[in-house]
Amino acid sequence: MQPLTVLGMTALGGLGYCLAEARAHTLREISVPGPAAAVGVRVLHISDLHLAPWDTDRIRWVASLEKVQADLIVASGDFMAHAHAVPLVERALEPLLTTPGVFVLGSNDFYAPKFKNPFAYLGRNNARVLGAPLPTQDLKVVLASGGWLGLDNARGQLRVRGVDIEFRGTGDAHINLDDYASVAGPWSENSQLRIAVTHAPYARVLKAMTEDSPDIVLAGHTHGGQITIPFVTALTTNCDLPVKQARGLSWLPAPEKSVPLHVSAGVGTSPIFPVRLGCRPEATLITFV
Ligand SMILES: [Fe+2]
């Protein structure tokens, strides 16, 4: 066989694997130290669904997460990837919307994806190229239909399993919609679990959040880098977060004690770059211990 033929077949095989891995949805389970009152609370963290009409398997998988029976759902943005995505988001989340939940939006919930060089995704601090406006208000109506709280530059409180949980969040820092100052400051004295949520985990947001000592910070946006060098690291976080924190649990230095940061690798992918390697699409069940 000619070397070029071998090369071509290897490249096609590799591409096929990466396309398949992008559809190999996984539920990851982790434990995180939390306040005594919150021990046993189970939080389902979902992020970056990036739904488009051809994502029928992804929609089914997200809907199937109802069987997890989480106490609380935190959705950290980028639900849409298409002008007609709102009914798709509704179908995917319908079984989950009656569970107590909170959400923030990502840049892809405001603007449709716009084609560019797919490999630009792997660049550091890859700037967002904004496409046509999306039906953001319609999306918010669906997300709030069962009682989920919107946390874009907002605070909120929910009582879950007898635990008073306080939340604060920001708009997406990737398109400069973050205004942490508007939610900063002391937490309520009666809150027993304090959760901060943002879409893109930029350093300025994480620093401001950790100065107020939440019990955990939850974020998405990175997709875990989508492509990782096996056993080494992701190539990008698509923001100024170090690549070693591209997905999963890490710790942020804070005045009193370090704060856990959980970054979801996301359920979907960039529609412009729909492949994954060494970084399966995920939702995460976080149990406080
Ligand atoms: Fe995303």
Side-chain angles (χ1 to χ4, degrees):
M1 203 179 290
Q2 296 292 320
L4 270 180
T5 310
V6 173
L7 200 64
M9 287 175 70
T10 307
L12 271 179
L15 178 62
Y17 177 86
C18 292
L19 286 166
E21 183 173 318
R23 299 282 164 179
H25 305 107
T26 307
L27 177 66
R28 200 158 50 79
E29 298 191 36
I30 62 168
S31 300
V32 177
V39 166
V41 171
R42 298 159 78 243
V43 180
L44 181 66
H45 183 192
I46 57 175
S47 197
D48 297 84
L49 273 59
H50 287 280
L51 291 179
W54 46 87
D55 289 324
T56 48
D57 58 337
R58 191 174 294 158
I59 291 166
R60 265 199 308 273
W61 186 76
V62 172
S64 78
L65 293 170
E66 187 216 6
K67 66 177 183 286
V68 171
Q69 294 287 296
D71 301 309
L72 172 73
I73 296 170
V74 175
S76 48
D78 274 7
F79 298 88
M80 304 201 283
H82 193 276
H84 303 301
V86 172
L88 311 175
V89 175
E90 190 168 19
R91 238 165 60 214
L93 295 180
E94 194 266 330
L96 304 174
L97 289 173
T98 49
T99 300
V102 295
F103 67 90
V104 291
L105 302 179
S107 59
N108 288 277
D109 300 318
F110 294 93
Y111 303 103
K114 196 167 182 184
F115 187 79
K116 59 184 176 182
N117 173 5
F119 292 96
Y121 179 80
L122 296 175
R124 299 273 168 101
N125 279 320
N126 170 27
R128 178 85 161 89
V129 181
L130 303 180
L134 290 177
T136 309
Q137 288 309 318
D138 296 348
L139 173 69
K140 286 163 84 170
V141 168
V142 166
L143 294 175
S145 61
W148 285 14
L149 306 177
L151 294 179
D152 280 44
N153 302 320
R155 293 183 179 219
Q157 278 195 301
L158 289 172
R159 189 167 172 81
V160 174
R161 260 184 46 161
V163 180
D164 286 315
I165 308 181
E166 186 174 357
F167 305 90
R168 60 182 57 171
T170 74
D172 186 6
H174 198 50
I175 49 173
N176 297 314
L177 294 180
D178 55 308
D179 179 14
Y180 184 76
S182 66
V183 295
W187 299 79
S188 305
E189 273 180 22
N190 64 351
S191 61
Q192 296 169 298
L193 179 63
R194 296 158 177 185
I195 297 179
V197 188
T198 194
H199 177 64
Y202 277 83
R204 66 178 184 270
V205 177
L206 299 182
K207 182 170 183 295
M209 284 180 162
T210 52
E211 279 173 1
D212 285 336
S213 298
D215 293 310
I216 192 167
V217 178
L218 298 172
H221 176 72
T222 67
H223 301 185
Q226 286 192 201
I227 300 291
T228 65
I229 300 172
F231 311 110
V232 183
T233 188
L235 301 175
T236 182
T237 60
N238 202 8
C239 64
D240 61 2
L241 185 73
V243 287
K244 63 176 193 267
Q245 293 172 288
R247 64 177 161 151
L249 191 66
S250 61
W251 294 85
L252 302 166
E256 290 170 22
K257 55 178 181 158
S258 51
V259 173
L261 165 70
H262 183 259
V263 178
S264 171
V267 180
T269 61
S270 157
I272 310 298
F273 192 65
V275 292
R276 286 181 179 262
L277 178 64
C279 178
R280 291 174 68 167
E282 67 177 21
T284 312
L285 185 64
I286 301 167
T287 303
F288 285 100
V289 293

